[in-house]
């Protein structure tokens, strides 16, 4: 039973994703994590289900789902394997949405159909080694060379950047003499075949180990002029606008991880006997279960209210940050409780809760740290509160 009032279609998508994830992803998730293995079979399977084009219109070979259906599917995937969920979230929310909303018709026709079919994976390259939370400080430089652009610099923390066929990359198009902050940043559509494009270091991460994260170096990378996305100087606003959407995906991923931890804890606690009875009979455990379930339901309700607002075409910057912040902190808290319910067994790899705990942490870091989400929420709340009519939209 769900608090959400879901349509038939939304329930169908949820059931489809759950059945697939439980059947195909759950049995191999632990092994892929231990081996840090990105699994192309999983990509093929999810492509057959249409999961790489969930938000893409049918004319570009997508499923054209509403935002809530997409997030319900993502949650189900994340319950089974958070590494698979980040692949879907980044691909569907960031490069795909940027191309859809800011690309020319020629760019959309060229890239979206193979992306929606899962033949081309999309990645997003905003951060750099010296520009994380302060994304506008990025230094990757683009200079014109005839009709082309030459890009030089290092992009960091690029999820599945070594597996992607299309990378939406933010680079400076202002000059070192005349810096224009965020307004000096443009977006380029990169492909790994471009001369000067190199995948550098692969990170050795605490969690999401089956999802590769890489650095990309651009060594005077020659990019044809028709690979500029939208208008020159608008790339930073495109990136932040797309992150409004991306953060909903990460919130769904965090909720999925938390739900996996709660479900595992409930099953374990019902079997585990101490002091002559199952530990579910102790209030210490019951209260943890109650708090876990309450926080998860609150996070999901906030997320789906934000998604419904997005579907209505409203600006959701504040609510997307709230959903991501609350879901990420819920995932970290719930997985910490789950390890505690399991006791020593939660601290070893025999059970999956230590993986859930490791996977949860990054949801408080990527696509904007919890501190950045609080900055966004505070800015938006204060400007609403101090607006002429003094009323805070809810
Ligand atoms: N939608 C559309 N436009 C927006 C926007 C939004 N949500 N937020 C800001 N903008 C526009 C502003 O209107 C402004 O435009 P103008 O210059 O025309 O006025 C421009 O973007 C710059 O905005 P700010 O002045 O607010 O920018 P700022 O430098 O103060 O930064 C910030 C704001 C919130 C701190 C931002 O830098 C930020 O979100 N930082 C975190 C970055 C982040 O999330 N990185 C994650 C990278 S992806 C990843 O994690 C890897 C992966 O693959 C998963």
């Amino acid at each position: 039973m769900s608090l959400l009032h879901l349509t038939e279609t939304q329930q169908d998508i949820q059931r489809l994703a759950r059945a697939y994830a439980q059947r195909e992803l759950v049995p191999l998730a632990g092994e892929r994590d231990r081996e840090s293995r990105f699994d192309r079979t999983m990509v093929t399977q999810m492509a057959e289900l249409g999961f790489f084009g969930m938000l893409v219109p049918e004319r570009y070979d997508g499923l054209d789902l509403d935002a809530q259906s997409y997030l319900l599917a993502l949650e189900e995937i994340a319950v089974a394997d958070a590494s698979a969920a980040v692949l879907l979230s980044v691909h569907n929310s960031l490069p795909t949405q940027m191309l859809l909303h800011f690309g020319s018709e020629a760019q959309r026709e060229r890239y979206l159909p193979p992306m929606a079919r899962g033949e081309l994976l999309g990645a997003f390259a905003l951060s750099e080694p010296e520009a994380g939370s302060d994304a506008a400080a990025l230094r990757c430089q683009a200079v014109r060379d005839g009709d082309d652009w030459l890009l030089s610099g290092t992009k960091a923390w690029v999820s599945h950047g070594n597996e992607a066929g299309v990378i939406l990359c933010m680079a400076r198009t202002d000059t070192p003499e005349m810096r224009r902050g965020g307004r000096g940043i443009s977006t380029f559509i990169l492909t790994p075949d471009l001369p000067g494009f190199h995948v550098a270091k692969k990170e050795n991460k605490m969690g999401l180990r089956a999802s590769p994260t890489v650095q990309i170096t651009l060594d005077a990378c020659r990019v044809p002029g028709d690979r500029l996305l939208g208008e020159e100087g608008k790339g930073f606003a495109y990136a932040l606008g797309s992150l409004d959407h991306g953060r909903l995906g990460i919130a769904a991923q965090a909720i999925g991880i938390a739900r996996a931890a709660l479900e595992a804890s409930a099953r374990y606690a019902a079997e585990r006997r101490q002091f002559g009875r199952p530990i579910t009979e102790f209030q210490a455990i019951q209260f943890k279960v109650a708090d876990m379930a309450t926080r998860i339901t609150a996070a999901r309700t906030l997320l789906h209210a934000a998604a419904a607002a997005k579907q209505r075409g409203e600006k959701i910057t504040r609510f997307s940050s709230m959903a991501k912040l609350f879901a990420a902190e819920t995932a970290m808290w719930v997985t910490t409780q789950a390890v505690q319910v399991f006791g020593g067994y939660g601290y070893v790899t025999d059970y999956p809760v230590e993986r859930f705990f490791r996977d949860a942490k990054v949801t408080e870091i990527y696509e904007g740290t919890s501190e950045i989400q609080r900055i966004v929420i505070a800015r938006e709340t204060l400007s609403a509160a101090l607006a002429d009519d003094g009323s805070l939209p809810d």
Side-chain angles (χ1 to χ4, degrees), residues 104-161:
S104 66
E105 189 51 36
Q107 289 168 339
R108 288 199 289 258
E109 279 173 6
R110 177 164 178 192
Y111 297 107
L112 284 177
M115 288 174 79
R117 293 194 297 266
E119 294 158 13
L120 272 188
L121 298 181
F124 179 77
L126 174 64
S127 303
E128 297 183 359
E130 305 293 330
S133 290
D134 185 7
L138 67 87
R139 291 203 296 225
C140 179
Q141 186 71 48
V143 290
R144 281 187 191 277
D145 186 45
D147 289 340
D148 299 340
W149 293 87
L150 294 178
L151 267 63
S152 299
T154 302
K155 305 308 289 186
W157 312 114
V158 185
S159 296
H160 55 268

Side-chain angles (χ1 to χ4, degrees), residues 127 133 157 159 183 240-241 243-244 247 317 366-368 379:
S127 303
S133 290
W157 312 114
S159 296
R183 292 182 186 186
L240 292 188
L243 281 166
D244 283 356
R247 288 167 182 163
T317 303
Y366 65 12
E367 295 205 21
R379 275 185 185 182

Side-chain angles (χ1 to χ4, degrees), residues 86 90 94 123-127 131-137 156-160 180 182-183 213 233-234 236-244 247 250 315-317 365-369 372-373 375-376 379-380:
V86 72
V90 170
L94 297 174
F124 179 77
L126 174 64
S127 303
S133 290
D134 185 7
W157 312 114
V158 185
S159 296
H160 55 268
R180 304 192 64 224
R183 292 182 186 186
T213 301
K234 292 267 181 75
F236 191 58
Y238 296 162
L240 292 188
S242 303
L243 281 166
D244 283 356
R247 288 167 182 163
I250 300 306
K315 182 171 184 281
I316 56 153
T317 303
I365 298 171
Y366 65 12
E367 295 205 21
T369 60
I372 288 295
Q373 307 312 328
I375 287 172
V376 172
R379 275 185 185 182
E380 299 265 327

